[in-house]
Amino acid sequence: MQADTNSPIIRIGTRGSRLALWQAHHVADTLRAHGMEVDIVTIATKGDLVLDKSLDKIGAKGVFTEELEESLRDGSIDIAVHSAKDVQSTIPDDLELLAFMEREKVHDVVISFDPLFKLGEGQQVVGTSSTRRRSMLKRFYPDVITAECRGNLQTRIQKLQDGQYDAILLAYAGVARMQYDHMIAQHLPLDTFIPAAGQGSVAIECAKTLPLERKLKLKEALDHAPTHSCLAAERAYLRTMEGGCSIPSFALATLEGDQLTLKAGIISLDGEEFILEETTGDREQAETMGEQLAHVVLSQGGDRILQEIRAAKQ
């Protein structure tokens, strides 16, 4: 289907989960507030369809984005809406990340039907689909038994209710957006459970061939400049590390005025090795800072951890 560049309607591509649709409707409402007409197009991705394997077993690169990107190319949608942390570290040459929306709180939370649940108190089974969270649990709560937990948020909570886990680990942003705040038993600290690059933000992707006038209108309506600077640093770090959803790396940038601070690192799969580095500089140098910090982490043993992880997957 070829794009109708004369149509005033902005076609928004999204996955079909409730959280993805929340994000798409959030984008749609923002665009309507700026006087634009919108239409939401739901598209299933490999990550939605293959639920019997962990992300690192199905090839995590583009697992939640590939089908949306094909729809950008064939013109059936104008923009694709993603959770920023799901976007692969390197974007195809014919596509671009147009905007990052204002970030929600970035930390991880523990969800449980027991409001008094706390990690590390007795023998516990905790579900997560994240390699990073699994490794951090092994480091900071070594007695916890980790278990694979795939599916959309509602599916995971149903598994929790069915007794497959005592608790599950999730990003606060998704929990808050789906109004499951009442199930939060524990907020995890950012000095230990540092989030994945991009966590908490919504990313807007488009084809480079999208007309410039339309791009500029969309960017003006959707892009949050401080968030964009932070994610530029985090994604540059991730890209230089050559990491993705299956690599237990982490990155968090914060802004004070024009000063950007980036904390980033990597953790081994068994949680034994934890490399964390930090840098501060001008926000205009966000990408350079991310690249340079990645090289520092790699030189401090991160390259060896990555080699061990890749060898373990073979």
Side-chain angles (χ1 to χ4, degrees):
M1 177 177 173
Q2 194 58 39
D4 178 4
T5 55
N6 295 316
S7 171
I9 299 174
I10 303 296
R11 289 154 305 165
I12 303 168
T14 178
R15 296 164 59 200
S17 72
R18 274 183 58 193
L19 181 55
L21 288 169
W22 182 95
Q23 293 175 162
H25 283 286
H26 179 52
V27 170
D29 291 344
T30 304
L31 293 179
R32 289 190 189 104
H34 283 76
M36 298 180 222
E37 294 181 69
V38 299
D39 187 24
I40 293 176
V41 180
T42 304
I43 299 165
T45 70
K46 185 193 294 184
D48 300 306
L49 300 174
V50 182
L51 297 176
D52 59 343
K53 297 179 181 178
S54 62
L55 290 176
D56 54 350
K57 294 291 191 298
I58 60 175
K61 185 176 181 181
V63 70
F64 292 119
T65 60
E66 188 174 350
E67 289 79 4
L68 289 163
E69 291 180 335
E70 283 304 312
S71 295
L72 289 172
R73 290 189 178 98
D74 68 24
S76 52
I77 59 174
D78 294 295
I79 57 175
V81 177
H82 310 290
S83 290
K85 68 180 176 60
D86 291 337
V87 180
Q88 61 267 40
S89 54
T90 302
I91 299 296
D93 290 341
D94 57 341
L95 305 175
E96 63 182 286
L97 289 175
L98 184 66
F100 294 106
M101 300 188 75
E102 185 171 5
R103 205 172 205 174
E104 178 56 270
K105 292 175 184 176
V106 300
H107 65 285
D108 289 332
V109 292
V110 179
I111 298 292
S112 178
F113 284 96
D114 176 3
L116 300 179
F117 181 94
K118 288 292 179 288
L119 288 173
E121 296 181 358
Q123 190 170 27
Q124 302 162 328
V125 177
V126 177
T128 176
S129 64
S130 161
T131 307
R132 172 188 62 86
R133 293 184 183 122
R134 196 158 53 234
S135 299
M136 288 181 169
L137 282 171
K138 288 178 180 178
R139 180 174 184 84
F140 297 111
Y141 299 97
D143 293 333
V144 164
I145 300 168
T146 60
E148 184 67 27
C149 183
R150 289 284 319 282
N152 63 42
L153 187 53
Q154 288 71 34
T155 299
R156 297 186 204 194
I157 289 176
Q158 185 60 54
K159 290 178 179 180
L160 176 64
Q161 189 168 20
D162 292 343
Q164 294 188 34
Y165 322 102
D166 297 303
I168 53 179
L169 253 60
L170 297 165
Y172 171 83
V175 172
R177 288 164 179 164
M178 290 292 94
Q179 299 182 333
Y180 287 119
D181 312 55
H182 61 285
M183 293 185 63
I184 297 176
Q186 190 173 357
H187 294 263
L188 297 179
L190 286 173
D191 58 346
T192 51
F193 277 76
I194 301 170
Q199 186 161 304
S201 178
V202 175
I204 311 300
E205 189 179 19
C206 71
K208 286 183 177 176
T209 54
L210 191 70
L212 180 60
E213 182 181 357
R214 184 165 287 203
K215 280 189 200 177
L216 293 174
K217 284 178 63 177
L218 289 166
K219 186 176 180 69
E220 182 182 7
L222 299 172
D223 195 47
H224 184 248
T227 299
H228 202 131
S229 294
C230 290
L231 265 67
E234 293 171 21
R235 287 183 53 76
Y237 170 81
L238 187 66
R239 184 169 59 249
T240 307
M241 293 288 290
E242 297 184 354
C245 297
S246 61
I247 301 297
S249 63
F250 44 87
L252 177 61
T254 54
L255 266 181
E256 284 193 24
D258 286 330
Q259 287 293 294
L260 185 144
T261 297
L262 175 63
K263 295 181 180 179
I266 190 168
I267 184 170
S268 59
L269 293 179
D270 61 8
E272 292 294 323
E273 295 184 80
F274 183 78
I275 300 171
L276 174 61
E277 299 291 341
E278 180 177 333
T279 187
T280 299
D282 191 279
R283 66 187 288 183
E284 296 299 323
Q285 300 299 313
E287 287 201 34
T288 301
M289 290 169 61
E291 293 166 1
Q292 291 176 344
L293 198 62
H295 288 301
V296 172
V297 170
L298 289 169
S299 70
Q300 295 299 316
D303 55 350
R304 180 176 40 76
I305 292 174
L306 284 174
Q307 288 170 9
E308 291 171 356
I309 290 170
R310 286 164 183 150
K313 287 172 151 188
Q314 293 176 352

